[in-house]
Amino acid sequence: MGVETAFLAASALQVGNQIGGAISANAQGKLQAKQYQLQSRQMEVQKDIISEQYADKRRALHGNAVATAAKNGVKISGSVADSISQSLTQLGIEESYQKYGISAEQNNLAYKSKIAKIQGRQEMINGFVNAGTTALSSYATYDYYWGSGKKGG
């Protein structure tokens, strides 16, 4: 194998490696974006679980108050009703606060997902540009040393 053949083979391998890296970087960006989207969907399930937990707490609070009032032979009214109402309101506030935190994290994950896609795409473009630059540079070197004019050799 002559020097020029070895040079061409090495150049082709380098270009192929850069193209492969470009494709891999894009795929990695897409995969990362999908992982962020999956985390966001899992958080949506978590919000549903929180809703169910707080619904259970509200039912238990109301049921206990009704049972206690019935046991004692009294109606739920006045300060007792106000207390129950305040407790239910507090549960609603706590539930909203927890869901808000999850929603904020979901927004963060959506942003990270978009960034991962953009970075993967950008790295792919850079890889293709590098491959093209390598190909052109290799052609110029080949033409200089072994091409039609053989200027270098």
Side-chain angles (χ1 to χ4, degrees):
M1 173 187 303
V3 173
E4 66 185 88
T5 305
F7 175 79
L8 289 174
S11 297
L13 285 173
Q14 189 175 8
V15 168
N17 186 42
Q18 289 170 331
I19 290 172
I23 292 168
S24 177
N26 189 42
Q28 182 65 29
K30 288 179 181 179
L31 177 63
Q32 185 66 47
K34 286 181 182 180
Q35 288 173 338
Y36 288 134
Q37 291 166 358
L38 177 61
Q39 286 177 355
S40 181
R41 281 184 288 226
Q42 289 170 337
M43 292 181 130
E44 195 62 38
V45 170
Q46 188 178 4
K47 284 196 310 192
D48 292 341
I49 291 169
I50 288 171
S51 291
E52 285 300 316
Q53 289 173 338
Y54 276 94
D56 289 345
K57 287 179 182 181
R58 284 190 290 276
R59 283 190 291 273
L61 176 71
H62 184 264
N64 289 339
V66 169
T68 301
K71 180 180 171 186
N72 294 325
V74 295
K75 284 174 96 177
I76 297 178
S77 62
S79 63
V80 173
D82 289 343
S83 176
I84 292 170
S85 177
Q86 288 175 356
S87 295
L88 290 172
T89 299
Q90 184 61 36
L91 285 173
I93 291 169
E94 290 172 12
E95 178 184 6
S96 296
Y97 180 76
Q98 285 187 10
K99 286 181 171 181
Y100 175 80
I102 291 171
S103 293
E105 182 60 25
Q106 284 179 301
N107 288 338
N108 188 32
L109 289 170
Y111 175 75
K112 286 180 177 181
S113 176
K114 288 179 184 177
I115 293 298
K117 283 182 186 178
I118 290 168
Q119 285 176 335
R121 194 175 314 122
Q122 187 61 44
E123 287 179 32
M124 180 182 69
I125 290 168
N126 289 344
F128 285 140
V129 167
N130 288 340
T133 301
T134 298
L136 291 173
S137 175
S138 296
Y139 172 76
T141 301
Y142 176 83
D143 188 54
Y144 183 79
Y145 288 106
W146 302 285
S148 58
K150 293 186 181 181
K151 299 170 190 108

